[in-house]
Amino acid sequence: MSKPTFCVVVPVYRSQATLDRCVQSILSQTVSGGVQCILVDDGGPDDSGALCDAWAARDARVRVIHQQGRGVSSARNAGMQAADSHFLVFLDSDDALRPGALQAALEVQQAHPEDFVLWHYTTRPEDSAPVTTAVESRPRNGLAKLWLDCLLAMPWNKLYRTDWAQQIKFNTQYTLGEDLQFVLDYLALLAVQTPGFCYRVLQSPLTFYDCSRTGTLSTKYHANYCEIWPEHFAKLNAACLTVQCPPADLRQLHRAELTVFAEGVADILRRDPAPLSGIRRDKATAALRSPWLRALLDQMRTERCYSAYYLPCRWRNTQLVYTLAEAKRTNSPLYGKLDWAGYYLLGGRLRRE
């Protein structure tokens, strides 16, 4: 029996309310060569595991792997290693594939066999945008721009060759941002296998992403946030330098990285469980002493790259970092005032663009 064209790997945890929608969106795909679905039940407290088994009982294309509380990265690794297909797609159990998604991705991949296919997504379940094979070509040095366009850091909007993806793993030691590490590892492998590849970005949204999920910075506190993201950014920056991303893209990337880090510092002051404000302030100050942050600020000075967070982080002023982040989070006009104040304090020597 020939192997299917696609395997869609779905980590499942506390997904009782959305799992049927997710699986149905996979099995309803009409695609040349067929589709396999691997559900990896991570042992949640609801009936998700039983729902997985029910799907496998009524559709031979569904396979279930049960494990106990090992986390999403372990679940993806288990599903990926069990896949027996030409291509691999990841999907989260609260998301869904749009009708025609896999066939559109396949047609683009077949038209450009050496390239890396990825696609846009929608956060609106009622989105009626047509699924087409209209594609934008981006060069390898567009890596930073992919991250800035929110297309790089997630694993579920990309088409992987199964045998190549099985040579790497999601790092189970991370609890945040591990998806970016996996994507960068795959791109490094792809560069060895097909050195001349470029990115083919389908313009249609092929995946519905449920942005109401928990686990983002705005909904979940991560005590080691300011330790983890510098590691991810260091790897991303190294990859961007390897492919010689344009200086303008690197400036925007570094500005975005500083924002992510500074907002993590502010989150320590906002939500760290330490009982005393002094302890939270000490933790935030320690984060601002990060060697990675100092190197980033020095690089931004060399690039003449301005950010509203540049001076507050350079001064290690936790209160000012917090005030800026809160103003931005609440859409307060104070953010714009402080932003321009910092720019003029620097005499306009750094670039805002």
Side-chain angles (χ1 to χ4, degrees), residues 217-218 259 262-271 309 318-336 338:
L217 177 60
S218 61
T259 297
E263 290 177 354
V265 172
D267 210 42
I268 295 173
L269 298 171
R270 184 186 304 118
R271 293 192 293 179
Y309 291 107
T318 57
Q319 186 57 49
L320 190 50
V321 169
Y322 176 80
T323 301
L324 266 169
E326 278 295 288
K328 183 180 179 184
R329 186 176 69 90
T330 59
N331 295 315
S332 167
L334 178 60
Y335 177 82
L338 292 173

Side-chain angles (χ1 to χ4, degrees), residues 92-332:
D92 288 346
S93 55
D94 47 359
D95 297 341
L97 290 172
R98 301 191 63 232
L102 294 184
Q103 183 62 28
L106 177 62
E107 289 179 13
V108 172
Q109 185 69 83
Q110 289 174 333
H112 308 282
E114 293 191 348
D115 295 339
F116 188 43
V117 174
L118 61 160
W119 52 85
H120 288 270
Y121 56 92
T122 180
T123 59
R124 297 186 296 115
E126 73 283 0
D127 196 325
S128 60
V131 170
T132 73
T133 56
V135 67
E136 175 192 4
S137 177
R138 299 196 187 189
R140 282 189 62 196
N141 70 355
L143 183 62
K145 192 68 166 57
L146 284 177
W147 190 85
L148 291 164
D149 290 343
C150 297
L151 291 170
L152 183 68
M154 64 287 288
W156 41 257
N157 68 329
K158 299 171 178 69
L159 186 59
Y160 307 91
R161 296 183 184 275
T162 303
D163 54 346
W164 293 354
Q166 288 172 335
Q167 298 178 39
I168 58 178
K169 289 184 177 181
F170 288 87
N171 191 330
T172 59
Q173 300 304 308
Y174 288 109
T175 59
L176 181 70
E178 68 281 358
D179 299 344
L180 176 60
Q181 294 269 350
F182 176 83
V183 173
L184 292 174
D185 286 343
Y186 185 84
L187 291 178
L189 178 60
L190 188 59
V192 173
Q193 300 288 351
T194 58
F197 83 89
C198 69
Y199 301 104
R200 303 286 176 172
V201 183
L202 281 105
Q203 298 304 287
S204 297
L206 302 192
T207 302
F208 162 63
Y209 168 65
D210 186 353
C211 60
S212 67
R213 66 180 58 166
T214 59
T216 63
L217 177 60
S218 61
T219 58
K220 183 179 180 180
Y221 178 71
H222 293 270
N224 56 353
Y225 182 96
C226 290
E227 299 170 10
I228 290 177
W229 273 112
E231 295 179 11
H232 296 330
F233 286 148
K235 187 166 185 171
L236 174 59
N237 291 340
C240 289
L241 289 175
T242 296
V243 298
Q244 299 180 331
C245 290
D249 289 357
L250 291 176
R251 286 197 302 273
Q252 293 183 48
L253 175 64
H254 296 154
R255 185 180 292 116
E257 290 174 346
L258 181 59
T259 297
V260 169
F261 186 87
E263 290 177 354
V265 172
D267 210 42
I268 295 173
L269 298 171
R270 184 186 304 118
R271 293 192 293 179
D272 190 89
L276 300 176
S277 60
I279 297 176
R280 293 193 294 271
R281 187 172 59 251
D282 288 346
K283 288 183 178 181
T285 301
L288 290 175
R289 293 196 184 101
S290 160
W292 173 86
L293 175 62
R294 180 61 49 179
L296 176 65
L297 293 171
D298 289 345
Q299 180 65 34
M300 291 177 68
R301 180 173 58 190
T302 299
E303 296 170 331
R304 297 178 56 235
C305 174
Y306 176 73
S307 162
Y309 291 107
Y310 179 85
L311 283 177
C313 288
R314 178 70 76 179
W315 294 337
R316 297 175 184 167
N317 188 320
T318 57
Q319 186 57 49
L320 190 50
V321 169
Y322 176 80
T323 301
L324 266 169
E326 278 295 288
K328 183 180 179 184
R329 186 176 69 90
T330 59
N331 295 315
S332 167

